[in-house]
Amino acid sequence: YFKDVYNTARMAHVGQTRRDGSEYFSHPSEVRNIARSFYPKDNVVQMAALLHDSLEDAPGSTVSSVEEMEEFIRGSIQDPLAANEVIRVVRALTHEKGGNYTDYVIGLLGDTPTLRVKLADMVHNLTDNPSPKQKVKYKIALDTISNQTGGNPPNGISNQHWDRLMDLAGNK
């Protein structure tokens, strides 16, 4: 079920590396594993997790345009409704560089699948050698969410997922 999505995500990041020089694809693969651990039955979230950086990173690198990347995504998911939802989530996760990060994350609060992927992405980034700047950025965003939810997990986010993030951000 996920093999074609894995291949599409791998293709989107061919030749790209993480800050530490490791293959970039290890990141979306880990984000999918984190999403699966918290939301084992949510296939859309797991597929979107694999593809979450593809519209940001692939155009101009492994594909010529966002539209071409979306066609690859569509072609890798048999169910057209699921494909449309995955593309919607990945688009929502693709934010312009330099925008206010906290505002961007707060803007995802009413969108459960997108928030699940974003928070799974945060878990991986906070466990994989985060920069001091990244830690501060995430802590501010998570504190802001926590203030809006009275410290509870946002709607659609599991207690385990939220607690893991709060631990990693040093909020517990």
Side-chain angles (χ1 to χ4, degrees):
Y1 190 69
F2 284 89
K3 187 169 154 274
D4 290 344
V5 178
Y6 263 98
N7 290 336
T8 297
R10 193 179 294 280
M11 176 277 301
H13 299 292
V14 162
Q16 298 171 4
T17 54
R18 300 215 9 112
R19 267 198 323 269
D20 65 5
S22 63
E23 184 192 2
Y24 191 85
F25 180 70
S26 65
H27 171 63
S29 181
E30 274 308 303
V31 173
R32 189 264 165 136
N33 291 340
I34 291 163
R36 180 174 52 197
S37 74
F38 293 120
Y39 313 102
K41 292 186 165 83
D42 195 334
N43 288 337
V44 164
V45 163
Q46 292 178 48
M47 289 186 281
L50 278 168
L51 296 159
H52 77 276
D53 284 335
S54 63
L55 296 182
E56 220 164 275
D57 295 347
S61 171
T62 57
V63 296
S64 58
S65 66
V66 167
E67 294 72 27
E68 187 182 1
M69 190 64 231
E70 289 182 356
E71 283 311 306
F72 275 109
I73 293 170
R74 227 175 236 109
S76 69
I77 300 170
Q78 282 71 41
D79 175 356
L81 291 175
N84 288 340
E85 179 64 356
V86 167
I87 289 169
R88 185 196 68 75
V89 168
V90 175
R91 281 179 185 155
L93 290 164
T94 306
H95 61 103
E96 71 290 342
K97 302 259 186 272
N100 182 303
Y101 185 77
T102 298
D103 291 347
Y104 152 70
V105 175
I106 292 297
L108 302 178
L109 278 177
D111 183 348
T112 296
T114 306
L115 190 61
R116 283 178 171 180
V117 176
K118 182 69 227 168
L119 297 182
D121 178 45
M122 282 186 178
V123 167
H124 186 247
N125 287 335
L126 285 169
T127 53
D128 190 44
N129 197 18
S131 70
K133 190 179 158 196
Q134 213 174 12
K135 285 184 190 170
V136 169
K137 176 175 87 168
Y138 286 177
K139 182 163 175 42
I140 292 167
L142 291 166
D143 284 346
T144 305
I145 291 172
S146 195
N147 289 338
Q148 290 202 6
T149 63
N152 297 311
N155 281 343
I157 302 304
S158 73
N159 288 328
Q160 295 88 339
H161 191 178
W162 188 244
D163 291 346
R164 179 89 173 106
L165 264 178
M166 292 293 105
D167 286 344
L168 289 169
N171 291 10
K172 282 242 152 146

PDB file of all heavy atoms in Angstrom, residues 96-113:
ATOM      1  N   GLU A  96       5.807  29.317   3.354  1.00  0.00           N
ATOM      2  CA  GLU A  96       6.854  30.127   2.746  1.00  0.00           C
ATOM      3  C   GLU A  96       7.957  30.379   3.772  1.00  0.00           C
ATOM      4  O   GLU A  96       7.697  30.614   4.948  1.00  0.00           O
ATOM      5  CB  GLU A  96       6.289  31.428   2.169  1.00  0.00           C
ATOM      6  CG  GLU A  96       5.828  32.478   3.176  1.00  0.00           C
ATOM      7  CD  GLU A  96       4.549  32.101   3.940  1.00  0.00           C
ATOM      8  OE1 GLU A  96       3.806  31.200   3.487  1.00  0.00           O
ATOM      9  OE2 GLU A  96       4.321  32.707   5.002  1.00  0.00           O
ATOM     10  N   LYS A  97       9.183  30.299   3.303  1.00  0.00           N
ATOM     11  CA  LYS A  97      10.338  30.560   4.156  1.00  0.00           C
ATOM     12  C   LYS A  97      10.269  32.006   4.648  1.00  0.00           C
ATOM     13  O   LYS A  97       9.879  32.897   3.906  1.00  0.00           O
ATOM     14  CB  LYS A  97      11.641  30.355   3.364  1.00  0.00           C
ATOM     15  CG  LYS A  97      11.786  28.955   2.773  1.00  0.00           C
ATOM     16  CD  LYS A  97      12.707  28.089   3.607  1.00  0.00           C
ATOM     17  CE  LYS A  97      12.986  26.758   2.968  1.00  0.00           C
ATOM     18  NZ  LYS A  97      12.036  25.710   3.270  1.00  0.00           N
ATOM     19  N   GLY A  98      10.615  32.192   5.910  1.00  0.00           N
ATOM     20  CA  GLY A  98      10.641  33.554   6.438  1.00  0.00           C
ATOM     21  C   GLY A  98       9.320  34.011   7.038  1.00  0.00           C
ATOM     22  O   GLY A  98       9.262  35.057   7.652  1.00  0.00           O
ATOM     23  N   GLY A  99       8.241  33.224   6.849  1.00  0.00           N
ATOM     24  CA  GLY A  99       6.972  33.568   7.483  1.00  0.00           C
ATOM     25  C   GLY A  99       7.065  33.291   8.983  1.00  0.00           C
ATOM     26  O   GLY A  99       7.998  32.635   9.440  1.00  0.00           O
ATOM     27  N   ASN A 100       6.118  33.789   9.769  1.00  0.00           N
ATOM     28  CA  ASN A 100       6.127  33.556  11.210  1.00  0.00           C
ATOM     29  C   ASN A 100       5.746  32.107  11.494  1.00  0.00           C
ATOM     30  O   ASN A 100       4.633  31.671  11.208  1.00  0.00           O
ATOM     31  CB  ASN A 100       5.168  34.522  11.914  1.00  0.00           C
ATOM     32  CG  ASN A 100       5.189  34.337  13.418  1.00  0.00           C
ATOM     33  OD1 ASN A 100       4.939  33.255  13.934  1.00  0.00           O
ATOM     34  ND2 ASN A 100       5.505  35.405  14.127  1.00  0.00           N
ATOM     35  N   TYR A 101       6.681  31.362  12.067  1.00  0.00           N
ATOM     36  CA  TYR A 101       6.501  29.935  12.277  1.00  0.00           C
ATOM     37  C   TYR A 101       5.367  29.634  13.252  1.00  0.00           C
ATOM     38  O   TYR A 101       4.546  28.752  13.000  1.00  0.00           O
ATOM     39  CB  TYR A 101       7.814  29.312  12.775  1.00  0.00           C
ATOM     40  CG  TYR A 101       7.732  27.817  12.886  1.00  0.00           C
ATOM     41  CD1 TYR A 101       7.810  27.015  11.744  1.00  0.00           C
ATOM     42  CD2 TYR A 101       7.544  27.193  14.114  1.00  0.00           C
ATOM     43  CE1 TYR A 101       7.711  25.639  11.835  1.00  0.00           C
ATOM     44  CE2 TYR A 101       7.446  25.817  14.213  1.00  0.00           C
ATOM     45  CZ  TYR A 101       7.526  25.046  13.072  1.00  0.00           C
ATOM     46  OH  TYR A 101       7.424  23.685  13.159  1.00  0.00           O
ATOM     47  N   THR A 102       5.301  30.372  14.350  1.00  0.00           N
ATOM     48  CA  THR A 102       4.254  30.127  15.347  1.00  0.00           C
ATOM     49  C   THR A 102       2.875  30.373  14.742  1.00  0.00           C
ATOM     50  O   THR A 102       1.965  29.558  14.915  1.00  0.00           O
ATOM     51  CB  THR A 102       4.482  30.988  16.608  1.00  0.00           C
ATOM     52  OG1 THR A 102       5.734  30.592  17.185  1.00  0.00           O
ATOM     53  CG2 THR A 102       3.387  30.787  17.630  1.00  0.00           C
ATOM     54  N   ASP A 103       2.721  31.459  13.994  1.00  0.00           N
ATOM     55  CA  ASP A 103       1.441  31.738  13.331  1.00  0.00           C
ATOM     56  C   ASP A 103       1.065  30.606  12.376  1.00  0.00           C
ATOM     57  O   ASP A 103      -0.094  30.192  12.300  1.00  0.00           O
ATOM     58  CB  ASP A 103       1.503  33.059  12.553  1.00  0.00           C
ATOM     59  CG  ASP A 103       1.590  34.272  13.471  1.00  0.00           C
ATOM     60  OD1 ASP A 103       1.361  34.121  14.693  1.00  0.00           O
ATOM     61  OD2 ASP A 103       1.895  35.367  12.967  1.00  0.00           O
ATOM     62  N   TYR A 104       2.056  30.119  11.641  1.00  0.00           N
ATOM     63  CA  TYR A 104       1.839  29.012  10.699  1.00  0.00           C
ATOM     64  C   TYR A 104       1.328  27.768  11.441  1.00  0.00           C
ATOM     65  O   TYR A 104       0.326  27.166  11.046  1.00  0.00           O
ATOM     66  CB  TYR A 104       3.137  28.751   9.932  1.00  0.00           C
ATOM     67  CG  TYR A 104       3.355  27.342   9.444  1.00  0.00           C
ATOM     68  CD1 TYR A 104       2.580  26.799   8.416  1.00  0.00           C
ATOM     69  CD2 TYR A 104       4.345  26.543  10.001  1.00  0.00           C
ATOM     70  CE1 TYR A 104       2.792  25.500   7.972  1.00  0.00           C
ATOM     71  CE2 TYR A 104       4.571  25.250   9.557  1.00  0.00           C
ATOM     72  CZ  TYR A 104       3.792  24.734   8.548  1.00  0.00           C
ATOM     73  OH  TYR A 104       4.008  23.455   8.116  1.00  0.00           O
ATOM     74  N   VAL A 105       1.981  27.401  12.548  1.00  0.00           N
ATOM     75  CA  VAL A 105       1.578  26.199  13.292  1.00  0.00           C
ATOM     76  C   VAL A 105       0.199  26.402  13.931  1.00  0.00           C
ATOM     77  O   VAL A 105      -0.649  25.507  13.867  1.00  0.00           O
ATOM     78  CB  VAL A 105       2.642  25.796  14.344  1.00  0.00           C
ATOM     79  CG1 VAL A 105       2.156  24.630  15.198  1.00  0.00           C
ATOM     80  CG2 VAL A 105       3.953  25.426  13.656  1.00  0.00           C
ATOM     81  N   ILE A 106      -0.047  27.564  14.502  1.00  0.00           N
ATOM     82  CA  ILE A 106      -1.354  27.863  15.105  1.00  0.00           C
ATOM     83  C   ILE A 106      -2.448  27.769  14.035  1.00  0.00           C
ATOM     84  O   ILE A 106      -3.560  27.305  14.302  1.00  0.00           O
ATOM     85  CB  ILE A 106      -1.352  29.262  15.778  1.00  0.00           C
ATOM     86  CG1 ILE A 106      -0.446  29.252  17.006  1.00  0.00           C
ATOM     87  CG2 ILE A 106      -2.758  29.710  16.144  1.00  0.00           C
ATOM     88  CD1 ILE A 106      -0.861  28.323  18.116  1.00  0.00           C
ATOM     89  N   GLY A 107      -2.118  28.171  12.831  1.00  0.00           N
ATOM     90  CA  GLY A 107      -3.070  28.102  11.716  1.00  0.00           C
ATOM     91  C   GLY A 107      -3.477  26.679  11.354  1.00  0.00           C
ATOM     92  O   GLY A 107      -4.472  26.474  10.667  1.00  0.00           O
ATOM     93  N   LEU A 108      -2.718  25.692  11.823  1.00  0.00           N
ATOM     94  CA  LEU A 108      -3.032  24.278  11.539  1.00  0.00           C
ATOM     95  C   LEU A 108      -3.962  23.669  12.589  1.00  0.00           C
ATOM     96  O   LEU A 108      -4.401  22.534  12.430  1.00  0.00           O
ATOM     97  CB  LEU A 108      -1.738  23.448  11.476  1.00  0.00           C
ATOM     98  CG  LEU A 108      -0.683  23.879  10.463  1.00  0.00           C
ATOM     99  CD1 LEU A 108       0.552  22.985  10.561  1.00  0.00           C
ATOM    100  CD2 LEU A 108      -1.239  23.880   9.045  1.00  0.00           C
ATOM    101  N   LEU A 109      -4.271  24.395  13.646  1.00  0.00           N
ATOM    102  CA  LEU A 109      -5.021  23.819  14.769  1.00  0.00           C
ATOM    103  C   LEU A 109      -6.370  23.217  14.398  1.00  0.00           C
ATOM    104  O   LEU A 109      -6.775  22.251  15.001  1.00  0.00           O
ATOM    105  CB  LEU A 109      -5.201  24.845  15.905  1.00  0.00           C
ATOM    106  CG  LEU A 109      -4.006  24.979  16.841  1.00  0.00           C
ATOM    107  CD1 LEU A 109      -4.255  26.068  17.874  1.00  0.00           C
ATOM    108  CD2 LEU A 109      -3.689  23.662  17.528  1.00  0.00           C
ATOM    109  N   GLY A 110      -7.075  23.736  13.434  1.00  0.00           N
ATOM    110  CA  GLY A 110      -8.376  23.170  13.069  1.00  0.00           C
ATOM    111  C   GLY A 110      -8.283  22.037  12.059  1.00  0.00           C
ATOM    112  O   GLY A 110      -9.293  21.559  11.565  1.00  0.00           O
ATOM    113  N   ASP A 111      -7.068  21.628  11.710  1.00  0.00           N
ATOM    114  CA  ASP A 111      -6.828  20.694  10.606  1.00  0.00           C
ATOM    115  C   ASP A 111      -6.088  19.470  11.148  1.00  0.00           C
ATOM    116  O   ASP A 111      -4.861  19.405  11.115  1.00  0.00           O
ATOM    117  CB  ASP A 111      -6.004  21.431   9.536  1.00  0.00           C
ATOM    118  CG  ASP A 111      -5.733  20.598   8.300  1.00  0.00           C
ATOM    119  OD1 ASP A 111      -5.969  19.371   8.311  1.00  0.00           O
ATOM    120  OD2 ASP A 111      -5.260  21.180   7.311  1.00  0.00           O
ATOM    121  N   THR A 112      -6.847  18.499  11.672  1.00  0.00           N
ATOM    122  CA  THR A 112      -6.251  17.356  12.371  1.00  0.00           C
ATOM    123  C   THR A 112      -5.179  16.611  11.565  1.00  0.00           C
ATOM    124  O   THR A 112      -4.076  16.422  12.079  1.00  0.00           O
ATOM    125  CB  THR A 112      -7.349  16.390  12.870  1.00  0.00           C
ATOM    126  OG1 THR A 112      -8.134  17.090  13.838  1.00  0.00           O
ATOM    127  CG2 THR A 112      -6.759  15.145  13.510  1.00  0.00           C
ATOM    128  N   PRO A 113      -5.440  16.186  10.318  1.00  0.00           N
ATOM    129  CA  PRO A 113      -4.383  15.415   9.637  1.00  0.00           C
ATOM    130  C   PRO A 113      -3.090  16.220   9.460  1.00  0.00           C
ATOM    131  O   PRO A 113      -1.996  15.694   9.664  1.00  0.00           O
ATOM    132  CB  PRO A 113      -4.984  15.053   8.275  1.00  0.00           C
ATOM    133  CG  PRO A 113      -6.380  15.535   8.275  1.00  0.00           C
ATOM    134  CD  PRO A 113      -6.647  16.308   9.522  1.00  0.00           C
TER     135      PRO A 113
END
